[in-house]
Amino acid sequence: MIVLGAVDGSEHTDIVVRQAVRFAKLMDADLHLLHVVHLTGLYYSALAGVLIDETELEQRLVASVWERVEPLIESLDGLTVTTVSRSGYAANAITDYADEVDAELIVIGSRGWGAVKAAVLGSTSQRVLHETDRNVLVVSV
């Protein structure tokens, strides 16, 4: 059995990880933490004038997320934790990965990087709810 926690590196990541750990322990399940990076025009416009390779930017973003998560999972005795990074649209990647590993539960934050992004792009948690028939716990953040 697998509990899938979707992490984005925002300040709400800690809450999502804690709840995913809690449910993995309650369900005697393995924990998979998934981070999806999607470089959009928002990132590129923020980097105007800064010369950086897209691959390098993606690697830096992914590394910063796992640096934030590592202290939260390093002392989890008896819990198997798998960390995975994917590229693409977050909702699609989360539901696809949940299907791949046959996750029993998806844990996701109600919002990540903020209201403005959600208003423009839509909420990832809402999209996950609509795209999957799996159990989803939306953590209020």
Side-chain angles (χ1 to χ4, degrees):
M1 190 177 307
I2 294 174
V3 170
L4 172 59
V7 297
D8 65 1
S10 71
E11 68 271 14
H12 308 299
T13 292
D14 301 13
I15 297 166
V16 171
V17 171
R18 283 195 300 271
Q19 290 301 319
V21 166
R22 178 176 172 230
F23 278 88
K25 287 181 177 180
L26 285 171
M27 298 166 64
D28 194 28
D30 292 342
L31 175 61
H32 287 217
L33 296 175
L34 173 67
H35 168 63
V36 181
V37 63
H38 179 66
L39 299 179
T40 64
L42 294 174
Y43 288 113
Y44 290 121
S45 64
L47 295 172
V50 177
L51 297 177
I52 187 167
D53 178 66
E54 179 180 332
T55 303
E56 182 182 345
L57 175 60
E58 188 171 308
Q59 290 171 347
R60 286 182 186 183
L61 290 169
V62 169
S64 71
V65 169
W66 296 127
E67 286 171 11
R68 182 178 195 110
V69 170
E70 185 62 33
L72 302 170
I73 62 173
E74 63 186 9
S75 64
L76 296 176
D77 296 330
L79 185 61
T80 301
V81 181
T82 301
T83 58
V84 179
S85 296
R86 296 279 172 97
S87 295
Y89 292 102
N92 296 357
I94 292 165
T95 56
D96 289 349
Y97 185 78
D99 289 343
E100 282 177 38
V101 298
D102 195 24
E104 182 71 22
L105 175 67
I106 301 169
V107 180
I108 189 168
S110 59
R111 61 184 177 275
W113 283 108
V116 173
K117 181 181 170 194
V120 173
L121 302 175
S123 165
T124 298
S125 57
Q126 288 175 340
R127 288 184 179 163
V128 168
L129 284 167
H130 291 287
E131 291 182 16
T132 189
D133 58 355
R134 297 183 181 280
N135 296 314
V136 179
L137 171 64
V138 179
V139 179
S140 180
V141 293

